[in-house]
Each structure stands twice: as structure tokens, then as C-alpha cells.
């Protein structure tokens, strides 16, 4: 494995650790939701980098599923927070 690939993986690992810290220590549910979206994006970037480095497309369906989970998860959290913050009549 080349040094450039190792540097890329180390950068992604550090970013994932910082994101995990935000998920654990986030003061609000919205902070945690944004951090989980960032973590999903980082996972997608790692998979994409691995596909580019090894020159294959076998993990493309996994990327699509992760993207769908991220979108639907964000929508669900936004609806939950909007319903919780709505004034009651």
C-alpha cells in the first residue's frame, strides 16, 4: 500500500473519531443528527476512495444504500424535532 493511501485512510479515521465525539457529546439531538450524517458521508467517501484505489465498482450498491439511509434518517429526525417543537393548540 502506498504512503498516499495510508495518509488518506488516516485522515478519514481522524475525521471519523472527531465525528463520533460529536455524536456522543452533542448537546442537542440536531447536533447528533448532523454528526451522524457527516459520519455516513465519511463512510461513503472511504468506500469511494477504496473503489477508486482498487479500480472496481462492487461496493456501489452499498454506497447507494448508505445514501438512502442518510436521507431518510435526516428526514425522520427533522420531522420528529418539528413535531416536538410545534406549539400545542
Amino acid at each position: 500500500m502506498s504512503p498516499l493511501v495510508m495518509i488518506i485512510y488516516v485522515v478519514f479515521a481522524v475525521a471519523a473519531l472527531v465525528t463520533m465525539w460529536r455524536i456522543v457529546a452533542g448537546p442537542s439531538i440536531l447536533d447528533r443528527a448532523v454528526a451522524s450524517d457527516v459520519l455516513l458521508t465519511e463512510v461513503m467517501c472511504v468506500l469511494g476512495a477504496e473503489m477508486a484505489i482498487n479500480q472496481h465498482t462492487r461496493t456501489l450498491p452499498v454506497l447507494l444504500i448508505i445514501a438512502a439511509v442518510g436521507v431518510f434518517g435526516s428526514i425522520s429526525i427533522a420531522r420528529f424535532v418539528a413535531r416536538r417543537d410545534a406549539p400545542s393548540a
Side-chain angles (χ1 to χ4, degrees):
M1 198 176 301
S2 72
L4 180 62
V5 173
M6 290 302 294
I7 291 171
I8 290 170
Y9 285 148
V10 167
V11 168
F12 279 130
V14 169
L17 287 174
V18 171
T19 304
M20 288 298 293
W21 174 253
R22 178 49 56 194
I23 289 173
V24 171
S28 72
I29 191 169
L30 294 177
D31 289 330
R32 290 182 172 100
V34 170
S36 66
D37 284 341
V38 170
L39 187 62
L40 283 175
T41 303
E42 289 172 0
V43 169
M44 289 174 55
C45 288
V46 167
L47 287 173
E50 189 270 332
M51 283 179 16
I53 290 166
N54 294 325
Q55 299 176 351
H56 68 83
T57 58
R58 290 185 301 264
T59 56
L60 192 59
V62 176
L63 285 173
L64 294 174
I65 291 170
I66 291 173
V69 167
V71 168
F72 294 136
S74 296
I75 291 170
S76 299
I77 291 171
R79 290 187 71 185
F80 171 75
V81 170
R83 188 176 299 141
R84 189 180 67 178
D85 290 343
S88 58

